[in-house]
Amino acid sequence: MKKVILVADDSPTIRKFVSISLKVKGFEIIQASDGMEALEVLPSGQIDLVITDLNMPNIDGFELIKTIRSNEDYRELPIIILSSLSGNAEIEKGIQYGANAYLLKPFDSKRVLYEVSKFLN
Amino acid sequence: MMSSDNISQLFSKLNDLKKVFSYGEKLIPILNSLGEFMKDTVPLLENINKSIAESTSKIPKATNQIQSVTSATEMATTEILDLVDSLNADLSDIEKTMLDVLNKEVDKKEFLLNLIPMLNVKNAETFIKDFLIKNSSSERLGELLLQIGKMKTDSNSITISLQVQDITAQQLATVNHLIESVQERLSSLIADLDNNPIPEEHDTKVNLPAGASFDPNARYSRSEVPQQEVDSIFNKEMQTASQDEIDKLFN
């Protein structure tokens, strides 16, 4: 059965980059253009991993992670941050909120694949 | 009857008045100059005010054009990515087919070599080995597979380079945000000076995308150093692989 990855980013090009990078290895991708849309998709119960941007309208990445982690059912759901924010404060906040990995943009698809495989294989 | 004291007081006051008049005489040319200066300056200030109003009215158009640039580059990047994706799929198909052909070549070679002891013909071994050397495609197929690997690496590099669109979009969103701030300041300045309201035919509202969110410091860099710094922070908490390990896994 295909593993399903939720990609939350307000940039359609980034969502496409991630999709292209991951679908070659057989992952199924569900896209969300902000944190709110991601939270609407999540309860479907089919999500195996979340890749999220930090700067997003409506609900940003930090808020999304916080909301996910506050739900008992998603405590173990792997979350990867994919952002252009490289400040220590953001990285530490990401760790503190419960992200499992932090990747900077522009990203290498091999690195994204590695991080995803680490949690899903 | 006026006393002599009163008369002397009157003369003193008249003297004072005379002094005021003589001072006024000196002051009149200065006041005239000031009047002339004001006459010249007021239209100038009105011009400045009008210019500010006109410039302010053009700001929304500028921001909309910036927004159009972002949309256009986004569309173009998506199209290029679709092509790269299709190219990658084709390359993977070719790679798979060539690997099949290469495996069949190996099988064929093995079959012919196994055939030698069964053949009771003079020089069979020399003949078959010579045939295999002259007709083997394995080496060429290996070279082509390497070239396909290189093309896949190049395609990966293209996708990394195309991410410049996302970074540029964030930078343009920052510029739009700054322009919006300038417009707000100018609008309030005009409201203070006010005799030249912003022309009504222009929409003065800056049309930033709803809920715009961006990183004002977004930069495009292919350097691995920033990611290594992030990894070192994350390594304190979790175990992260080196780039070499990742390359080994996915190449």
Side-chain angles (χ1 to χ4, degrees):
Chain A
M1 205 170 137
K2 276 187 175 180
K3 297 278 184 186
V4 183
I5 297 166
L6 171 63
V7 181
D9 200 305
D10 54 338
S11 160
T13 49
I14 291 294
R15 294 201 301 268
K16 198 159 193 79
F17 288 129
V18 179
S19 300
I20 289 175
S21 305
L22 298 176
K23 79 174 190 186
V24 288
K25 294 289 171 190
F27 296 110
E28 190 186 322
I29 310 297
I30 293 179
Q31 300 186 17
S33 59
D34 58 44
M36 196 180 276
E37 215 178 296
L39 287 174
E40 283 166 12
V41 173
L42 210 59
S44 67
Q46 53 172 340
I47 308 298
D48 296 298
L49 183 143
V50 175
I51 296 178
T52 181
D53 184 19
L54 290 177
N55 280 317
M56 288 188 290
N58 302 319
I59 290 180
D60 68 18
F62 287 126
E63 205 54 41
L64 173 66
I65 300 170
K66 209 167 136 187
T67 311
I68 291 173
R69 288 290 182 246
S70 66
N71 187 324
E72 197 72 47
D73 296 338
Y74 306 130
R75 286 273 159 83
E76 301 300 317
L77 182 70
I79 301 174
I80 298 172
I81 292 174
L82 186 60
S83 171
S84 58
L85 296 171
S86 57
N88 286 9
E90 284 88 11
I91 300 159
E92 274 154 17
K93 198 171 169 186
I95 297 169
Q96 186 199 328
Y97 277 36
N100 300 91
Y102 196 115
L103 299 179
L104 284 182
K105 294 177 187 173
F107 63 90
D108 184 344
S109 57
K110 283 187 282 184
R111 179 63 193 261
V112 176
L113 261 174
Y114 169 78
E115 293 298 339
V116 168
S117 306
K118 204 165 76 177
F119 297 112
L120 294 187
N121 286 343
Chain B
M1 284 284 291
M2 283 169 89
S3 70
S4 63
D5 280 352
N6 283 343
I7 289 170
S8 117
Q9 213 172 7
L10 179 69
F11 276 116
S12 160
K13 292 285 177 195
L14 281 170
N15 262 336
D16 288 346
L17 199 61
K18 195 181 161 190
K19 278 178 193 165
V20 169
F21 278 130
S22 103
Y23 182 69
E25 264 175 18
K26 285 178 192 163
L27 205 64
I28 283 166
I30 296 170
L31 287 173
N32 276 340
S33 301
L34 194 64
E36 290 294 317
F37 174 75
M38 290 299 280
K39 225 194 289 176
D40 291 343
T41 310
V42 167
L44 197 68
L45 285 172
E46 277 173 357
N47 262 342
I48 292 171
N49 192 7
K50 202 176 156 193
S51 295
I52 292 173
E54 278 174 8
S55 305
T56 307
S57 72
K58 285 174 188 162
I59 286 178
K61 198 181 171 194
T63 55
N64 286 340
Q65 276 175 337
I66 290 173
Q67 193 55 43
S68 301
V69 170
T70 303
S71 302
T73 56
E74 195 174 277
M75 200 185 289
T77 308
T78 306
E79 283 170 9
I80 297 169
L81 275 172
D82 282 335
L83 290 172
V84 171
D85 191 25
S86 154
L87 204 70
N88 277 343
D90 289 346
L91 283 173
S92 293
D93 284 348
I94 295 170
E95 192 178 35
K96 205 177 154 203
T97 310
M98 287 179 74
L99 275 170
D100 282 348
V101 175
L102 187 64
N103 285 336
K104 279 180 184 159
E105 273 285 304
V106 174
D107 290 348
K108 203 162 70 184
K109 187 180 173 186
E110 208 176 297
F111 172 78
L112 288 171
L113 289 174
N114 287 336
L115 205 64
I116 295 169
M118 296 177 211
L119 294 170
N120 203 8
V121 184
K122 196 182 168 191
N123 295 330
E125 187 177 356
T126 316
F127 176 76
I128 287 176
K129 282 186 175 171
D130 190 45
F131 173 83
L132 284 173
I133 290 167
K134 282 178 183 164
N135 295 283
S136 173
S137 308
S138 305
E139 202 176 314
R140 184 72 191 120
L141 282 171
E143 284 167 12
L144 287 172
L145 280 168
L146 279 177
Q147 278 179 341
I148 288 173
K150 188 186 168 292
M151 284 162 86
K152 285 174 101 176
T153 307
D154 289 346
S155 151
N156 184 45
S157 290
I158 291 171
T159 59
I160 297 174
S161 299
L162 282 174
Q163 287 175 58
V164 74
Q165 189 280 328
D166 174 59
I167 306 291
T168 312
Q170 293 195 60
Q171 287 167 342
L172 288 177
T174 308
V175 171
N176 260 358
H177 180 70
L178 290 173
I179 290 175
E180 189 192 33
S181 309
V182 171
Q183 192 208 20
E184 274 171 15
R185 288 280 178 88
L186 287 177
S187 296
S188 89
L189 186 69
I190 289 163
D192 288 347
L193 293 170
D194 196 31
N195 282 325
N196 269 314
I198 299 164
E200 280 182 9
E201 62 268 25
H202 295 285
D203 180 8
T204 53
K205 179 140 178 49
V206 175
N207 296 319
L208 278 178
S213 60
F214 47 84
D215 171 13
N217 301 309
R219 294 285 176 272
Y220 177 73
S221 163
R222 294 287 294 266
S223 163
E224 285 175 10
V225 176
Q227 182 62 55
Q228 282 164 1
E229 285 169 2
V230 172
D231 290 344
S232 75
I233 297 173
F234 241 85
N235 271 336
K236 287 176 193 165
E237 302 282 327
M238 294 157 210
Q239 205 182 350
T240 309
S242 69
Q243 190 60 45
D244 282 350
E245 285 172 297
I246 296 161
D247 288 341
K248 207 185 271 180
L249 268 170
F250 293 103
N251 274 337

